[in-house]
Amino acid sequence: MAERLLNRLREARDAKGWTQAELAARVGVSRKTINTVENRVFTPSATLAIKLAQALELSVEQLFWIER
Amino acid sequence: MHDLKDVEAADTMGRKRSQIFFVLAIVFFAGQAAYFGSSPATRDSHARIGAWLILVILILMLLATGGFLFRGRKVLDLLNDETSRLNRLASQALGFWVTIITALVVYVESIFDAVSLNEGIHIIVTTGVGAALISFAVRERRAHRIG
């Protein structure tokens, strides 16, 4: 059965009151990358996943999980 | 932390880049359709071959680098971040497969009809490079539009 990487990036970003561009600036990627991760079009690298979790003050597991 | 202005500039430039690449792909294919539509006696002029060659080299450089620019290292890094790099790699892979498949088709065609070396290379390079360019433009446009 296919596995899917899900995330709560949008909810976590909204909780901080940040726009996609603001989160992108904090992490050092483009707004497009934040957008595609939020919409599960793009699976981020481990490096980016850690940077996102750090910026949002969450653990990687709180931000990303695998649906089986 | 990056400057928000850099992120916004990269976003604007990324959208423009995908639009420019899309238009460039259409111009490229249209030019080649006109080339193959013309009579063999007139189409192999130095000017036409030279224009095609320059365009192919330009497109290859754009696909290899993501575009030469413009607004400083920080914006360039944001413009070519991991989503763009992945889109570029996927487009290059598609270009490779289109090139190989076209080469096989030309090879089979050459068994039945005479295909000159120039013609064959022109067709193979045009389809491979054009497919990679349009694939990158479409992937980038889609990434900007989602959400």
Side-chain angles (χ1 to χ4, degrees):
Chain A
M1 190 174 153
E3 294 179 337
R4 288 195 310 161
L5 184 71
L6 304 181
N7 70 74
R8 55 172 60 88
L9 189 58
R10 180 169 296 161
E11 294 88 328
R13 177 174 62 75
D14 286 344
K16 290 279 185 188
W18 297 340
T19 63
Q20 288 182 338
E22 284 168 336
L23 177 58
R26 287 169 189 274
V27 175
V29 294
S30 65
R31 190 203 60 79
K32 174 187 67 185
T33 292
I34 301 296
N35 188 34
T36 50
V37 173
E38 281 187 358
N39 288 287
R40 299 176 207 151
V41 172
F42 174 61
T43 302
S45 66
T47 306
L48 179 55
I50 292 167
K51 283 183 181 176
L52 286 166
Q54 283 175 343
L56 292 161
E57 296 176 292
L58 295 168
S59 69
V60 175
E61 290 83 359
Q62 285 175 311
L63 199 53
F64 296 95
W65 69 97
I66 295 169
E67 185 187 71
R68 292 188 173 88
Chain B
M1 171 143 173
H2 280 67
D3 193 327
L4 195 56
K5 282 182 182 173
D6 288 340
V7 172
E8 284 163 357
D11 196 45
T12 305
M13 289 168 70
R15 286 174 193 277
K16 281 184 186 163
R17 177 175 67 177
S18 66
Q19 288 164 357
I20 290 167
F21 279 24
F22 196 77
V23 170
L24 184 59
I26 290 168
V27 168
F28 182 61
F29 278 125
Q32 299 323 300
Y35 173 85
F36 284 108
S38 60
S39 76
T42 58
R43 72 181 174 201
D44 286 333
S45 68
H46 290 312
R48 273 188 155 180
I49 297 291
W52 172 78
L53 201 56
I54 289 168
L55 201 52
V56 165
I57 291 168
L58 174 72
I59 292 169
L60 285 174
M61 288 170 70
L62 290 173
L63 286 170
T65 62
F68 3 84
L69 302 168
F70 305 52
R71 290 274 299 264
R73 190 79 224 171
K74 283 183 181 172
V75 176
L76 192 62
D77 286 345
L78 288 169
L79 192 63
N80 292 319
D81 69 350
E82 64 179 70
T83 321
S84 284
R85 287 199 301 273
L86 193 77
N87 284 341
R88 223 164 66 212
L89 287 175
S91 304
Q92 288 168 1
L94 179 81
F96 168 81
W97 286 111
V98 169
T99 301
I100 295 297
I101 290 165
T102 308
L104 290 174
V105 170
V106 170
Y107 180 75
V108 171
E109 170 68 14
S110 71
I111 295 168
F112 302 102
D113 286 313
V115 179
S116 73
L117 182 64
N118 277 5
E119 256 180 353
I121 290 174
H122 198 117
I123 292 167
I124 293 163
V125 171
T126 296
T127 52
V129 168
L133 181 66
I134 207 154
S135 165
F136 182 66
V138 168
R139 284 169 193 276
E140 286 285 295
R141 277 165 68 100
R142 202 169 48 199
H144 278 289
R145 282 180 177 171
I146 289 162

